[in-house]
Amino acid sequence: MINKIIEILKSRKVSFSELLFELKEYNIKRKDLINYLEKIAKISKSKDWKLYYKPSVCKKCGYVANSIKPISKCPKCKSEWLEEPVYFIST
């Protein structure tokens, strides 16, 4: 599964929900995808490529989540109006 995710992330930038949708046929759960992304981030440290991501951002107050994980609610203002994180792999 990790290899499939890496292949997708090397081909283009994708949001968390797009990635989850693309892996729908594998019955991947949100929590599992987060774990895979964290593993890929660790693996990338010893490879000739790196996982990059733009974290979740609150569209109401501008809070930027400092995590690879997507958030569902802003911890600062409690808004659910959020930009999803976007992931990609670059060499």
Side-chain angles (χ1 to χ4, degrees):
M1 182 54 52
I2 288 180
N3 289 333
K4 177 67 176 169
I5 296 169
I6 290 171
E7 179 184 315
I8 293 168
L9 296 177
K10 281 186 173 182
S11 68
R12 67 188 185 287
K13 294 179 182 181
V14 290
S15 71
F16 187 83
S17 62
E18 290 170 336
L19 190 55
L20 196 57
F21 181 79
E22 193 152 334
L23 299 168
K24 185 177 168 182
E25 65 186 89
Y26 301 102
N27 293 321
I28 298 241
K29 305 227 180 326
R30 177 183 167 91
K31 182 179 175 183
D32 295 332
L33 181 54
I34 291 168
N35 288 335
Y36 285 134
L37 289 168
E38 289 172 339
K39 287 178 186 175
I40 291 169
K42 288 178 185 175
I43 291 169
S44 73
K45 293 178 182 177
S46 64
K47 301 289 184 180
D48 60 345
W49 48 265
K50 185 174 179 185
L51 173 66
Y52 292 94
Y53 66 94
K54 179 183 162 273
S56 297
V57 177
C58 177
K59 294 180 182 178
K60 184 176 180 184
C61 73
Y63 174 82
V64 178
N66 192 18
S67 173
I68 196 168
K69 300 175 187 179
I71 58 174
S72 57
K73 190 181 279 190
C74 177
K76 188 175 177 183
C77 72
K78 309 299 184 217
S79 172
E80 294 179 3
W81 192 33
L82 305 164
E83 284 183 27
E84 282 191 276
V86 175
Y87 307 92
F88 68 98
I89 289 177
S90 181
T91 54

